[in-house]
Amino acid sequence: MKTLIIYYSQHGSTEVVARTLAKELKTDILEVTDLKNRSGFKNKLTSCIDSIKETKTEIAPSEVDLTEYNSIYIGTPTWARKPTPAIITLIDRCNLRGKDLYLFATMTGRGGQATVDRMAEKVKARGARVIETFTLNTKDKDIETLINDTEVIIDILDLKMYSG
């Protein structure tokens, strides 16, 4: 069986973490796109409210077939101490029964742990096992620093042991 990393990234930091994980762990990777306009001050405010309420959104791909994967990483930025609407929508649409999940959240402030805790509640309710979670503060970090920080997390959590 294989491992898949699924992520949503609005400004690129979560994407850097996801791509570093995929490269180091030799996994497949899939970006989820939110089809709603989330840029600009007004849309950012609405996006935070959508996260708090766990409002569903239209995403691409609209569904993900996970049958060939036994291990799945799901990554999201933290919005208002919650996962993004795109990731909430994805989790609610996936068959996670019997899957091993690794959850991660990026953040520029606080709330990352609350974000992965909420994701863990949702995936467990859908039949998944949460193997590991982690958060990464991305504030004021360049790409090289994000890559290095992700590599440190891989080593500390011994994530290569689980990749296959």
Side-chain angles (χ1 to χ4, degrees), residues 50-123:
D50 286 349
S51 286
I52 292 166
K53 292 181 173 182
E54 296 189 1
T55 304
K56 304 302 182 288
T57 190
E58 291 303 313
I59 59 173
S62 61
E63 292 186 25
V64 179
D65 181 5
L66 300 174
T67 53
E68 67 180 284
Y69 300 99
N70 62 336
S71 297
I72 301 153
Y73 285 71
I74 301 177
T76 183
T78 299
W79 291 357
R81 302 176 56 90
K82 297 283 189 176
T84 57
I87 291 301
I88 290 294
T89 302
L90 172 91
I91 290 170
D92 286 348
R93 289 183 182 173
C94 286
N95 178 3
L96 299 173
R97 185 157 309 286
K99 305 293 183 183
D100 292 335
L101 273 280
Y102 302 79
L103 308 172
F104 66 96
T106 59
M107 65 219 169
T108 58
R110 297 182 310 208
Q113 190 60 51
T115 298
V116 293
D117 289 348
R118 180 60 186 136
M119 290 167 59
E121 289 173 7
K122 290 193 71 65
V123 301

Side-chain angles (χ1 to χ4, degrees), residues 137-148:
N137 192 318
T138 61
K139 186 173 184 167
D140 299 327
K141 293 183 179 177
D142 60 19
I143 291 173
E144 184 176 319
T145 303
L146 289 175
I147 292 169
N148 289 337

